[in-house]
């Protein structure tokens, strides 16, 4: 069962229905939602990318059909499917271009193949944009006209929604805000994309680990040393746990991460001027339920107040995302819903 979203029975639902598919490098999440974004059924399957895109797409299509049947519905009861996929991609063309987490899937026409195998029209979107749309539709961004979602994990994903417009860009590379430059020094940290000084290099989970390793290498004391000596692997979660216990180095790493994010967010604010910026993903240091998460958010806001235009700093809403791992499939379904209603309006 998906963990963050309320489930309803078919008799409680509002038609039409949509299926969202959140394709990841490890797992595929499939959820059936109604016209108000409420979940009726959900399942997850392994991606097994090494078997190739054709095998995975056939299994995704089967999972779509099984999820519909799980809710006691028929294929014809569903208006459209939404597919959120990791990039890079050609969104209008419906195909993948050298996706980092899906080796060997280059050039695969995944949108049309999924439509062919599951028997329903498919809308195609970047996974970060899909998650952002989920938060905009029924999550922490639902009260706002415009919002930015930053997903903090191994890298930094981003989605930007303005009204019902998803910012995709001319080359399907819009909203790649993890690659905003925050450090222009010659010796800046190198991002996973190979370029120096990007936000992702400093404020992703990968960046947190590298900065922590560098600090430990200088000989600084930290309770982390005891845990690492015991065989545990360095991770942002480990850093967060020791920061919660009061370890000065770990708290410094968390708050330094917040400072870097604040710098990046100011650039986004000065470019987009959104109502709100949300933080999601696996690395939110406990989120709003945690004292450390609250400190993390407050430090980001402090950097925004210091660097942004005063009016924007005063009005921006900074918060944590609320849909968790469900945001991707809900948002993919929401984008399918958006395209469905637009097509219906165009036909009238």
């Amino acid at each position: 069962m998906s963990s963050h979203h309320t489930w309803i029975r078919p008799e409680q639902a509002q038609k039409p229905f949509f299926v969202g598919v959140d394709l990841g490098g490890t797992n595929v999440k499939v959820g059936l939602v109604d016209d108000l974004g409420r979940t009726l059924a959900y399942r997850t399957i392994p991606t097994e990318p090494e078997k190739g895109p054709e095998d995975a797409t056939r299994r995704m299509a089967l999972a779509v059909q099984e999820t519909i049947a799980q809710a006691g519905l028929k294929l014809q009861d569903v208006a459209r499917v939404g597919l959120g996929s990791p990039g890079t991609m050609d969104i209008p063309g419906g195909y993948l271009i050298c996706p980092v987490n899906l080796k060997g899937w280059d050039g695969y026409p995944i949108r049309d193949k999924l439509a062919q195998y599951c028997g329903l029209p498919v809308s195609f979107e970047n996974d970060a944009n899909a998650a952002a749309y989920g938060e905009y539709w029924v999550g922490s961004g639902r009260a706002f006209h415009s919002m930015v979602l930053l997903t903090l994990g191994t890298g930094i994903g981003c989605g930007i929604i303005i009204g019902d417009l998803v910012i995709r860009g001319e080359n399907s590379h819009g909203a790649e805000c993890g690659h905003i430059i925050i450090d222009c020094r010659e010796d800046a940290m190198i991002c996973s994309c190979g370029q120096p000084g990007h936000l992702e290099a400093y404020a992703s989970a990968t960046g947190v680990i590298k900065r922590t390793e560098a600090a430990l290498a200088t000989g600084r004391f930290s309770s982390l040393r005891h845990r690492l000596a015991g065989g545990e692997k360095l991770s942002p979660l480990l850093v967060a746990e020791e920061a919660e216990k009061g370890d000065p180095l770990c708290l410094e790493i968390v708050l330094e991460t917040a400072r870097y994010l604040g710098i990046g967010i100011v650039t986004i604010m000065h470019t987009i001027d959104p109502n709100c910026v949300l933080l999601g993903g696996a690395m939110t240091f406990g989120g709003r339920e945690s004292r450390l998460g609250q400190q993390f958010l407050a430090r980001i806001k402090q950097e925004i107040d210091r660097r942004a235009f005063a009016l924007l700093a005063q009005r921006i809403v900074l918060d944590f995302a609320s849909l968790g791992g469900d945001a991707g499939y809900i948002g993919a379904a929401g984008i399918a819903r958006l395209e469905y209603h637009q097509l219906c309006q165009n036909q009238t």
Side-chain angles (χ1 to χ4, degrees):
M1 176 178 286
S2 58
S3 56
H4 290 80
H5 202 57
T6 304
W7 281 39
I8 60 167
R9 296 188 301 275
E11 59 269 23
Q12 299 172 296
Q14 182 167 312
K15 297 179 181 179
F17 302 112
F18 304 90
V19 174
V21 179
D22 181 12
L23 169 61
T26 304
N27 294 301
V28 181
K29 298 174 183 176
V30 181
L32 174 70
V33 307
D34 76 346
D35 201 43
L36 300 178
R38 299 172 298 181
T39 299
L40 288 85
Y42 169 87
R43 67 182 49 225
T44 182
I45 61 170
T47 308
E48 299 178 305
E50 69 281 357
K51 293 183 178 178
E54 199 76 12
D55 176 81
T57 306
R58 288 181 184 275
R59 289 187 294 106
M60 279 192 284
L62 180 61
V64 167
Q65 294 163 350
E66 289 174 344
T67 304
I68 294 167
Q70 181 184 334
L73 301 176
K74 295 183 173 62
L75 198 66
Q76 56 264 35
D77 294 322
V78 174
R80 200 171 182 91
V81 173
L83 169 64
S85 170
T88 55
M89 60 184 58
D90 180 328
I91 294 173
Y95 61 88
L96 300 170
I97 305 172
C98 303
V100 175
N101 296 327
L102 302 168
K103 300 293 184 186
W105 290 34
D106 310 12
Y108 184 69
I110 193 166
R111 180 193 64 198
D112 294 347
K113 286 287 189 176
L114 182 59
Q116 175 189 334
Y117 293 142
C118 73
L120 288 165
V122 174
S123 300
F124 186 44
E125 190 54 77
N126 174 278
D127 55 357
N129 280 341
Y133 197 83
E135 291 290 343
Y136 170 79
W137 184 25
V138 295
S140 294
R142 63 189 177 275
F144 303 105
H145 175 259
S146 59
M147 57 149 276
V148 174
L149 172 68
L150 291 170
T151 55
L152 310 177
T154 305
I156 295 181
C158 180
I160 299 172
I161 313 295
I162 300 174
D164 273 335
L165 178 65
V166 181
I167 302 301
R168 297 181 175 122
E170 287 297 317
N171 301 292
S172 304
H173 277 58
E176 288 285 359
C177 296
H179 302 283
I180 285 174
I181 296 170
I182 64 163
D183 187 349
C184 61
R185 295 175 302 167
E186 291 297 323
D187 61 346
M189 290 179 68
I190 303 298
C191 183
S192 61
C193 72
Q195 296 294 327
H198 291 186
L199 178 62
E200 183 173 298
Y202 289 82
S204 65
T206 307
V208 165
I209 291 168
K210 285 182 178 177
R211 289 191 290 107
T212 306
E213 287 174 340
L216 291 172
T218 66
R220 290 187 58 182
F221 171 79
S222 172
S223 55
L224 277 175
R225 293 187 184 280
H226 177 71
R227 296 190 65 174
L228 296 175
E232 294 186 71
K233 187 177 179 181
L234 183 59
S235 67
L237 179 59
L238 209 63
V239 171
E241 287 174 355
E242 294 308 303
E244 285 271 22
K245 295 174 186 174
D247 181 77
L249 175 60
C250 290
L251 182 58
E252 180 183 308
I253 292 289
V254 171
L255 298 182
E256 188 179 56
T257 303
R259 184 175 75 86
Y260 289 131
L261 281 167
I263 293 169
I265 288 169
V266 168
T267 298
I268 299 170
M269 289 168 60
H270 287 166
T271 307
I272 307 296
D273 187 15
N275 289 130
C276 76
V277 175
L278 302 179
L279 303 175
M283 195 187 74
T284 55
F285 299 108
R288 65 167 67 94
E289 307 304 322
S290 154
R291 182 174 59 87
L292 182 64
Q294 293 169 2
Q295 284 180 276
F296 178 62
L297 204 66
R299 181 65 186 88
I300 296 172
K301 185 61 168 68
Q302 181 183 359
E303 200 64 29
I304 290 171
D305 290 344
R306 177 173 167 237
R307 294 176 180 269
F309 290 144
L311 179 68
L312 303 190
Q314 179 185 342
R315 293 187 177 178
I316 192 72
V317 175
L318 184 67
D319 200 358
F320 291 108
S322 58
L323 297 181
D326 295 349
Y329 82 77
I330 293 171
I335 286 169
R337 171 184 176 271
L338 181 63
E339 290 197 12
Y340 170 79
H341 286 302
Q342 287 173 343
L343 287 169
C344 289
Q345 288 173 0
N346 291 339
Q347 290 168 2
T348 57

